[in-house]
Amino acid sequence: MLENWVVMPTCLPLVRRRCHACASDHFRANGKFRVNANHKLLDAWLLVLCTACGDTAKLTVLERLNVRSVRPGLLDRMHNNDPALAAELLQDPVVRRRNRVALDWDNAWRLDTGGSDHLDREVIDVSVRFAARIPVRPVRLIAEGCGLSRAEVERLITEGKLVSAVRLSGKLSDDFTFTLKR
């Protein structure tokens, strides 16, 4: 029987960027936007607050776009400070690249295994699905989901008792499956 595990965000990730006021390198997005119109051109920013000093920085979302080229729904969501839109934009690689920021997902996700009835079985097949593009080490997920230490998971990989079509070292943010034989 195939188990389904889901890696789910619990909150917005921290934004890694240097603060010009205090030299901290973490900002927290609170879902607030600023939209500015200059004649028929729009600029829009996602506001982020420094976790150390509270200073505000702006992440560019729209830059000098004609008002007519912006989807009305998008503009409404920005005016309403939609936190779901903030989450979408933080995960957008174009927005991150334009603003030269990275995301810090530490303590911003959880693993839902659907219960612990799989722990006593000899062989388990697991499908891991990511609800958001959260880069996590598969070894960490497997250790957490199976109640093992990371060293035990590494040992099982070495012994060939833990197999997957994807490389289990490094970080993944794409869905994958694995089989564990005890």
Side-chain angles (χ1 to χ4, degrees):
M1 184 172 115
L2 185 68
E3 297 277 331
N4 289 306
W5 293 1
V6 181
V7 178
M8 307 170 76
T10 56
C11 60
L12 291 175
L14 292 177
V15 176
R16 296 192 60 129
R17 172 185 172 159
R18 176 79 57 208
C19 177
H20 70 277
C22 74
S24 169
D25 64 351
H26 282 90
F27 283 79
R28 181 171 313 286
N30 60 358
K32 303 272 190 233
F33 290 89
R34 174 154 185 240
V35 179
N36 187 36
N38 185 1
H39 300 287
K40 293 181 181 179
L41 300 178
L42 277 181
D43 292 309
W45 301 275
L46 173 62
L47 302 179
V48 292
L49 304 172
C50 177
T51 56
C53 69
D55 196 46
T56 302
K58 299 185 293 189
L59 302 181
T60 302
V61 176
L62 303 176
E63 193 169 32
R64 299 281 165 213
L65 272 177
N66 191 301
V67 175
R68 292 177 192 264
S69 66
V70 178
R71 294 187 329 264
L74 177 65
L75 208 48
D76 290 342
R77 290 175 74 187
M78 283 189 210
H79 284 303
N80 293 327
N81 293 318
D82 184 353
L85 177 61
E88 289 172 30
L89 291 171
L90 283 175
Q91 293 201 30
D92 185 343
V94 173
V95 171
R96 288 199 319 262
R97 196 171 28 254
R98 175 189 293 157
N99 291 284
R100 294 186 195 96
V101 298
L103 299 181
D104 183 349
W105 281 98
D106 288 349
N107 304 314
W109 61 272
R110 70 178 176 83
L111 177 64
D112 181 8
T113 61
S116 59
D117 62 337
H118 62 274
L119 296 178
D120 57 350
R121 284 194 258 147
E122 284 296 312
V123 176
I124 59 170
D125 292 315
V126 178
S127 171
V128 180
R129 189 175 60 80
F130 288 81
R133 294 193 53 79
I134 304 170
V136 182
R137 296 185 187 286
V139 169
R140 179 177 178 188
L141 290 176
I142 295 166
E144 187 176 317
C146 294
L148 303 170
S149 70
R150 290 188 201 172
E152 286 176 282
V153 172
E154 295 283 357
R155 182 181 52 77
L156 290 168
I157 292 171
T158 304
E159 293 173 358
K161 293 182 178 178
L162 178 58
V163 293
S164 177
V166 299
R167 197 171 51 109
L168 296 175
S169 61
K171 290 187 175 184
L172 286 177
S173 57
D174 294 322
D175 300 352
F176 69 98
T177 60
F178 69 90
T179 302
L180 173 63
K181 301 171 192 155
R182 295 186 192 240

